[in-house]
Amino acid sequence: MDTAYDAEVIVVGAGPTGLMLAGELRLAGVRVIVLDRLPGPTTESRGLGFTPRTMEVFAQRGLVDRFDALDTPLQTTTRGHFGGLPLDFGVFPGAHPAVVNLPQVHTETMLRGWVAELGCDLRRGHTVVGLGDTGEAVRVRVEGPDGTAELSARYLVGCDGGRSTVRALAGFEFPGTPATLELFLADVRGCEIRPRFIGEWLPGGVAMAAPLGDGVDRVVVCERDTPPRRRTEPPEFSEVAAGWQRLTGEDISHGEPLWVSAFGDATRLATQYRRGRVLLAGDAAHVHLPAGGLGMNTGIQDAFNLGWKLAAVVRGRAPGTLLDTYHDERHAVGRRLLNNTRAQGLLFLGGTEMQPLRDVLGELTGHEVVHRHLAGMVSGLEVRYPVGPGDHPLLGRCVPDMELAGEAGTTTVFGLLHGARGLLLDLAGDDRLRRRAQPWADRVDAVSARPAGPASDAGAARTEAVLVRPDGHVAWASPGSQEELTDALARWFGAPALSPVG
C-alpha cells in the first residue's frame, strides 16, 4: 500500500455517480476519499427510478435487495417513453424491468450504506477550491469544517454535477448549446393532482405529474416561450403554482412544497472524459434535458465502466492506457445521449407544429424494429462497446443473466459478478480453456457451468464460452471472436501473473 498519498483516488461528489464509483473502487481494495460540499445528505430527489440497464448494474453487484431494508418496495414496469411516445421494454426478453417513482434520496441512502460497509471515507462539508496535476499525483485544496487543507491522490474523479468545480479547475472544455427555456420542478404535498405520468400536451406548454406516496406529487411545468433566467437560488413555489394554473387551470398554491427547483434544456458534453490524472463522470461530463431520468442512470453507468478500470491501474494490474477506453466507450454513449434527449425535447416540449412528427413517429413505433431501436436507446440496453474483432452477437454487449448449474450448485451469471472481478464462463466443459486463463486467476474467475434452463437471449444459446469484464460486458466469446483468449485477457486485465498454459 502506497502511503505517500492521502488516498489512491479522491472522488468529488457524493451523489449516485460518486457513490457508485467509490463502491466499485473499494471492492478492489482501493483507498478512496469522497468529498462533498453539502454538510449532510440532500433531501432533493431529481431522479425518480432506474432504466433496465441500471437495474442490471445493481443486480450485478447484489444491490437490488438492499432496497428492501429501506422499506421502499420497488415499483417496476416494462413501460417507458421516447419524447412522450409510449414504449415497451418487453421487446427485450429477459431484461430487467424499469423502476419508477423511487426518489433519488432512497437510492443515495442505499449506496451510502453499501460504501460505508466497504470502508469508504466520506467527508461532508468539504469544498474543492483548487487542484493541480503534477503528472505523478493530483493535489487538491479543500475548505472544510476545520479550515483549508491540501490532499493528494494518484487520481481524482469529478462527479460533482453539471456545474462541476473539478471540470472548471482542471480546464476541461465543455462545449454545447445554452438553455432556450426554463422548466420548474417541485414535490408538493396535499394537492391530489391528477397523474400525468409521461406529460400532457397543452396549448401553453407541457405539464407532468406523478404521485410519490404519502400525499406527495412530483410536478414539472414547462411553459413555451419562457426564456431561461440566471438564478442563484431556487424559484419560489408561487412561480411554480402560477405556471401550473396557467397551463392546466388547476390551483395548487395551497400545497406544501417539499422542495422546488428550476432547470433548462442546455446541452453540453466535455470534449474529454480524462485529462491526465483527472477524470469526469456523470453530469460533470454531460448535461442535457433530463428526459426519462437518463442523467442519473447514465452517471451510474459511467461509474460502473470507470471503477474497475481505474482500480486495475491503481493496483498496478493494468497499464494507464486502459483508462483511455473509459473515454472511448463512454464519450460515445454521451454523444448519443445528447442526441437522444434533444430529439425527445423537440417532440415533448414542442408546440402544435410538432404534432405531425409525433403522429408519424407514433405510427413507426408500431413496427417492431423501430420500437426495439427506440426502447434500446432510452433503456440503456442498446449499449455495445468495441471490445475486439469478431462476429459473436454478444461481443461488447452486457452479458445476459441466466441460471447456471455447476459443481458448486445453482447460481446466476449476475451472481458471479458480485465481487467486481472478471469472469471466464465455460459453458462447454473445456478444461484446456480454463487452464489458459489460470495466469489471470488473481483477477479473473474461471467457472464451468451449464444453463439450468433455456436461454432467453438467442446469442447466449449458441455460446460455448464468454469472457466477461467486471462491468458485465462481454470481451471475448466462443465461437465468434477473432482473437485468442489470452490476447483478450491481456487487453482487459493486464499482463498475466504467470506464463499462460497452452
Side-chain angles (χ1 to χ4, degrees):
M1 179 181 295
D2 193 338
T3 59
Y5 306 99
D6 294 287
E8 290 168 303
V9 178
I10 292 175
V11 176
V12 182
T17 300
L19 292 171
M20 190 75 219
L21 178 61
E24 290 294 290
L25 293 168
R26 285 301 303 147
L27 282 174
V30 175
R31 290 186 299 125
V32 181
I33 294 175
V34 179
L35 304 174
D36 197 276
R37 62 179 181 82
L38 296 178
T42 181
T43 59
E44 298 183 1
S45 291
R46 294 177 183 272
L48 274 183
F50 316 122
T51 63
R53 175 56 187 143
T54 300
M55 282 298 290
E56 289 181 340
V57 167
F58 290 154
Q60 286 168 9
R61 293 298 180 262
L63 298 178
V64 176
D65 290 344
R66 286 176 173 264
F67 287 105
D68 295 339
L70 302 178
D71 194 27
T72 55
L74 299 182
Q75 300 179 45
T76 61
T77 181
T78 62
R79 300 291 177 177
H81 71 92
F82 182 89
L85 299 173
L87 297 173
D88 186 352
F89 301 138
V91 295
F92 297 98
H96 280 259
V99 170
V100 296
N101 289 0
L102 182 74
Q104 183 176 320
V105 293
H106 296 312
T107 303
E108 293 187 15
T109 298
M110 182 277 287
L111 289 172
R112 278 198 306 275
W114 178 51
V115 300
E117 291 175 15
L118 293 173
C120 177
D121 183 354
L122 172 56
R123 302 184 185 183
R124 292 282 183 187
H126 286 71
T127 301
V128 173
V129 295
L131 65 84
D133 182 348
T134 69
E136 299 296 327
V138 181
R139 302 195 179 280
V140 187
R141 193 166 71 255
V142 181
E143 291 182 354
D146 299 323
T148 302
E150 184 175 276
L151 301 174
S152 64
R154 294 185 61 187
Y155 290 90
L156 179 140
V157 186
C159 303
D160 51 340
R163 299 179 180 179
S164 170
T165 298
V166 170
R167 185 184 64 230
L169 291 174
F172 285 85
E173 296 179 16
F174 200 48
T177 58
T180 61
L181 50 80
E182 182 176 57
L183 297 87
F184 294 136
L185 181 151
D187 287 351
V188 56
R189 176 182 283 122
C191 290
E192 298 183 358
I193 301 169
R194 176 170 62 84
R196 300 164 171 89
F197 290 105
I198 61 175
E200 181 178 9
W201 287 299
L202 298 162
V206 176
M208 295 181 64
L212 303 182
D214 296 326
V216 177
D217 292 284
R218 164 69 54 87
V219 297
V220 177
V221 180
C222 177
E223 293 186 273
R224 296 191 189 93
D225 303 321
T226 302
R229 293 175 53 185
R230 294 186 61 86
R231 296 180 184 268
T232 57
E233 299 290 338
E236 297 293 331
F237 179 62
S238 58
E239 290 186 72
V240 181
W244 184 266
Q245 186 160 35
R246 285 191 295 269
L247 283 178
T248 68
E250 301 171 3
D251 183 8
I252 62 171
S253 62
H254 60 283
E256 175 194 356
L258 303 186
W259 66 280
V260 179
S261 181
F263 61 95
D265 60 342
T267 301
R268 296 187 182 278
L269 179 67
T271 56
Q272 302 166 280
Y273 279 17
R274 176 193 179 195
R275 293 197 69 191
R277 293 181 175 270
V278 181
L279 301 102
L280 302 177
D283 289 350
H286 41 74
V287 296
H288 51 87
L289 187 74
L294 294 179
M296 180 184 72
N297 283 272
T298 304
I300 290 171
Q301 293 162 38
D302 286 346
F304 204 56
N305 182 285
L306 173 60
W308 68 275
K309 296 174 180 178
L310 185 53
V313 172
V314 167
R315 305 312 269 169
R317 293 174 173 171
T321 52
L322 180 63
L323 290 179
D324 294 335
T325 68
Y326 168 62
H327 169 87
D328 294 341
E329 293 176 353
R330 296 307 297 175
H331 193 266
V333 171
R335 286 197 308 270
R336 188 156 175 79
L337 170 69
L338 265 58
N339 285 334
N340 168 351
T341 53
R342 289 184 72 182
Q344 290 198 63
L346 290 170
L347 285 171
F348 189 64
L349 303 177
T352 55
E353 74 281 359
M354 297 301 297
Q355 193 57 48
L357 183 57
R358 296 185 193 113
D359 293 339
V360 170
L361 282 178
E363 292 177 12
L364 289 173
T365 58
H367 297 273
E368 183 178 353
V369 64
V370 177
H371 199 116
R372 185 181 179 90
H373 182 80
L374 294 178
M377 289 178 65
V378 299
S379 67
L381 296 174
E382 70 160 5
V383 174
R384 186 173 190 172
Y385 299 137
V387 295
D391 58 4
H392 193 286
L394 291 183
L395 270 180
R397 286 177 48 198
C398 178
V399 64
D401 198 13
M402 69 180 90
E403 286 195 358
L404 301 170
E407 294 181 358
T410 302
T411 184
T412 65
V413 176
F414 284 8
L416 294 172
L417 293 171
H418 285 183
R421 290 167 53 86
L423 171 66
L424 176 63
L425 183 58
D426 170 22
L427 299 171
D430 188 340
D431 291 342
R432 181 173 176 274
L433 190 73
R434 298 196 303 278
R435 287 198 303 271
R436 294 172 69 192
Q438 186 60 32
W440 286 269
D442 59 335
R443 67 209 89 155
V444 177
D445 297 321
V447 176
S448 179
R450 291 186 178 278
S456 61
D457 187 286
R462 302 190 301 271
T463 300
E464 297 176 0
V466 289
L467 176 64
V468 185
R469 306 186 326 185
D471 62 357
H473 283 264
V474 175
W476 176 92
S478 175
S481 283
Q482 295 174 5
E483 67 177 339
E484 294 294 325
L485 171 62
T486 51
D487 291 337
L489 283 161
R491 177 204 295 255
W492 296 108
F493 298 99
L498 301 170
S499 297
V501 179

